[in-house]
Amino acid sequence: MIDPVRIAVIDSGVHAGHPHVNGVAGGIAITPEGREDNEFLDRLGHGTAVTAVIREKAPSAAIFVVKIFHDSLATRIQPLVRAIEWSVDNGMHLINLSLGTSNPEHEPVLLATLERVQAKGIMLVAAFEESGVRWLPGALPGAAPATLDWNCPRDEYRTSILPDGRTLYHASGYPRPIPNVAAERNLKGISFAVANVTGLLARELSALL
């Protein structure tokens, strides 16, 4: 058994004390300039919601926060690459990247980074495509791509095979429910399909002998 499974959540940080998160094992923030900072508090809410989805499915996982989104859900390519490299260097089993870039100019650097991910046997779960938009690095070889399936229950994923032979994971785009908040008023979308897949894969990984 792999215990605990180590998961890096690359996002907007986290409120570690949120009852749906129940603490994290550690973390870091990477500034737009590429500097490392120990303060990874989530001021946007997205990273906390993503982490809550993963925690729901993998309650014993060691979750590490890698904050790259500070004032908005946008950053430059350098902090994203540095975040993935930090995750590799710190022995993660899974990397959750619920957001990505559609800029094809970033393919070469992301392909090189994914080679490091693969060499360490890490799964980087990332968005594949949405409404015709091809997301990177999820659409690139070396990533574990995830896509939306609104008909898939939140406690499972479905799979299909891409032309390049990779498994494409299909999952619900709904996050962990919030009491007294209707699902249509809550955050939702491909970010949470990625998180649902990561949490379910972590659950499976923790049970491996």
Side-chain angles (χ1 to χ4, degrees):
M1 183 172 66
I2 300 175
D3 189 25
V5 174
R6 295 166 64 87
I7 306 170
V9 179
I10 300 175
D11 213 288
S12 63
V14 72
H15 281 278
H18 192 286
H20 283 180
V21 173
N22 195 29
V24 296
I28 194 171
I30 299 173
T31 70
E33 298 75 31
R35 292 185 295 102
E36 295 184 2
D37 192 309
N38 292 326
E39 196 278 298
F40 52 77
L41 181 66
D42 183 11
R43 292 182 172 83
L44 301 175
H46 190 271
T48 300
V50 164
T51 303
V53 169
I54 297 170
R55 176 64 78 202
E56 175 191 33
K57 294 170 170 58
S60 64
I63 296 178
F64 293 81
V65 182
V66 189
K67 177 178 177 177
I68 61 170
F69 303 117
H70 298 269
D71 301 319
S72 67
L73 295 177
T75 189
R76 296 186 290 184
I77 191 64
Q78 292 81 6
L80 172 56
V81 170
R82 181 71 195 96
I84 298 172
E85 290 176 341
W86 185 93
S87 303
V88 171
D89 293 341
N90 285 272
M92 300 299 140
H93 300 106
L94 289 160
I95 300 171
N96 185 93
L97 180 58
S98 282
L99 299 167
T101 176
S102 60
N103 187 343
E105 293 182 2
H106 297 319
E107 280 197 30
V109 66
L110 289 171
L111 279 169
T113 306
L114 285 170
E115 287 181 3
R116 288 198 64 204
V117 172
Q118 281 190 298
K120 292 292 186 178
I122 302 167
M123 291 188 72
L124 186 152
V125 187
F128 178 61
E129 288 184 353
E130 181 186 22
S131 303
V133 177
R134 177 174 176 265
W135 291 108
L136 308 177
L140 298 175
T147 193
L148 274 170
D149 182 348
W150 291 112
N151 295 317
C152 186
R154 288 193 61 252
D155 59 353
E156 65 182 70
Y157 61 74
R158 298 164 180 168
T159 62
S160 60
I161 303 300
L162 293 170
D164 64 5
R166 286 187 298 156
T167 298
L168 176 62
Y169 295 89
H170 305 249
S172 171
Y174 289 111
R176 188 167 179 167
I178 299 175
N180 302 316
V181 176
E184 59 271 16
R185 293 183 55 204
N186 197 1
L187 295 170
K188 56 185 178 293
I190 196 166
S191 294
F192 300 99
V194 174
N196 280 316
V197 170
T198 297
L200 290 165
L201 290 174
R203 180 190 292 174
E204 293 174 3
L205 190 58
S206 69
L208 289 178
L209 297 178

